[in-house]
Amino acid sequence: MKNYFKDIITLFTASPQNEEMKRKFHGWLIDDEYSHEKDLALDEFWTNVQGKEDEHTEEALKEVYAKSGFHLVPKRSINWLRPLGAAAAVATLLMVSVYVTYQLTKQKYTEIATVENYVSPGQMRLIELPDGSKVQVNSGTLLLYPEKFVGSTRTVFLVGEANFKVKKNPEQPFIVRSSTMAVTALGTEFNVSSYSDDSEVTVTLLEGKVKVVCGIEGKSYVLEPGEQVVYDKSMGASCLCKAELEDVTAWQRGELVFRSVTVDEMLIILQRRFDVTFHYRQGRFNADKYNIRFSDKASLEEVLTIIKAVVGDFTYHIDRKECYIK
């Protein structure tokens, strides 16, 4: 549930909002329902977002406030109204308009209901879209799509990870939008990983052909099967590379694959996979990267035991959905 609130906040801050949207968003923020969870999500968002500093940081910071409307003080007193760090300002400016595009689509087709599918941590779900396309959605993922596709495109919105098997319709291209990418396909299979708390967004093509447009600079790629585009949010840079398809699709089989990731990144993935919260001192682990693979039957304790054997020098204690690392 916590990641759901953070995802909504991330989507809102992705681009400029009109006054009506700001009013609705602030109304949602100050509503008493789930107030504690919203405060925690806001605090985590502003604390953990990372980016690069440059000479335009001060202007970027002002622009972030102007975009998000956070200069407006909510009626309910909350503790997250503090200055954004320079890195956070620049990182926020790198986000592309997902939420606004979603809202404009809703306004354009007001007669069409919008389906909001949130897959909780520890869960996976297979969804059939109105056009017959199949989407396998990974844990901790938010997928938005209309109850019926109308107009010249079939557009869905993603925060998290999903595998798309698109039904062919050359007259109505299929588009997946995330915070920093737009992926267009006519009929194909591809994987998009775009979690709000990951440093990179990745699109991998399994079959067919897709066009990927990255970031605010609009750099585009046309992918062949086995290729992937990786977009670094903090650097605002993208690259085209060959993909390890077995690793990319491992989550669909229930497998857990860590490929060139730090321990901190492992813990983020494990939180989504096992619906657990990790508690440990910031900076506890270094930036060394590891490659580890687990079967679909591996439990959290088994995974942590192996990580401990590889990394060494830490102990852990699991108490229901909390894990304490020392």
Side-chain angles (χ1 to χ4, degrees), residues 35-295:
S35 60
H36 179 65
E37 288 83 353
K38 293 172 191 174
D39 285 352
L40 290 178
L42 283 162
D43 184 74
E44 183 178 351
F45 176 81
W46 295 130
T47 301
N48 294 338
V49 70
Q50 295 181 351
K52 58 181 181 180
E53 298 186 38
D54 60 20
E55 66 273 17
H56 303 299
T57 291
E58 185 175 353
E59 289 304 313
L61 177 58
K62 293 177 182 178
E63 194 169 345
V64 168
Y65 277 111
K67 284 185 173 188
S68 62
F70 287 149
H71 58 281
L72 302 175
V73 180
K75 295 178 182 178
R76 179 170 56 84
S77 176
I78 52 182
N79 59 12
W80 52 271
L81 282 173
R82 59 176 179 275
L84 277 174
V90 177
T92 303
L93 287 175
L94 291 173
M95 298 178 184
V96 176
S97 175
V98 175
Y99 194 75
V100 163
T101 306
Y102 162 57
Q103 292 297 338
L104 289 176
T105 302
K106 285 179 65 176
Q107 292 170 14
K108 184 175 180 180
Y109 306 113
T110 54
E111 74 280 6
I112 305 299
T114 299
V115 180
E116 302 186 12
N117 248 307
Y118 179 69
V119 180
S120 301
Q123 305 293 320
M124 281 195 296
R125 186 178 304 159
L126 181 62
I127 298 172
E128 182 171 346
L129 297 179
D131 65 339
S133 297
K134 301 290 198 306
V135 186
Q136 187 168 357
V137 184
N138 205 352
S139 59
T141 295
L142 177 65
L143 180 67
L144 310 172
Y145 56 92
E147 197 173 65
K148 178 183 178 182
F149 289 117
V150 296
S152 59
T153 66
R154 295 168 287 166
T155 301
V156 302
F157 303 85
L158 178 75
V159 178
E161 183 170 24
N163 176 273
F164 295 86
K165 293 183 178 179
V166 179
K167 187 174 181 179
K168 289 185 179 181
N169 183 355
E171 302 301 318
Q172 197 178 35
F174 188 94
I175 301 175
V176 179
R177 294 190 180 276
S178 70
S179 62
T180 53
M181 279 187 181
V183 185
T184 304
L186 293 177
T188 188
E189 180 181 357
F190 56 97
N191 194 90
V192 180
S193 182
S194 179
Y195 285 104
S196 58
D197 49 5
D198 283 353
S199 61
E200 296 177 336
V201 179
T202 305
V203 176
T204 307
L205 181 63
L206 283 74
E207 296 179 7
K209 184 175 289 187
V210 296
K211 178 182 179 181
V212 180
V213 179
C214 300
I216 57 178
E217 80 282 2
K219 187 174 183 179
S220 65
Y221 302 85
V222 177
L223 272 60
E224 299 291 338
E227 293 181 333
Q228 69 180 187
V229 172
V230 180
Y231 181 85
D232 187 308
K233 297 182 195 176
S234 64
M235 299 297 294
S238 58
C239 65
L240 177 67
C241 54
K242 288 293 183 180
E244 294 288 344
L245 295 184
E246 284 295 308
D247 292 350
V248 172
T249 60
W251 67 268
Q252 299 176 62
R253 301 185 296 274
E255 299 172 8
L256 187 60
V257 176
F258 297 125
R259 182 68 65 188
S260 188
V261 296
T262 64
V263 175
D264 288 325
E265 291 169 332
M266 289 184 197
L267 298 181
I268 291 174
I269 295 170
L270 292 177
Q271 286 190 148
R272 294 194 292 254
R273 174 64 176 266
F274 293 102
D275 190 16
V276 64
T277 300
F278 287 96
H279 302 274
Y280 63 99
R281 176 175 52 82
Q282 189 173 11
R284 169 67 182 78
F285 299 104
N286 58 34
D288 291 345
K289 297 189 175 183
Y290 302 89
N291 299 318
I292 312 176
R293 179 185 291 270
F294 298 93
S295 74

Side-chain angles (χ1 to χ4, degrees), residues 287-306:
D288 291 345
K289 297 189 175 183
Y290 302 89
N291 299 318
I292 312 176
R293 179 185 291 270
F294 298 93
S295 74
D296 60 328
K297 296 180 175 60
S299 66
L300 175 60
E301 189 161 2
E302 290 170 335
V303 171
L304 289 175
T305 299
I306 296 299

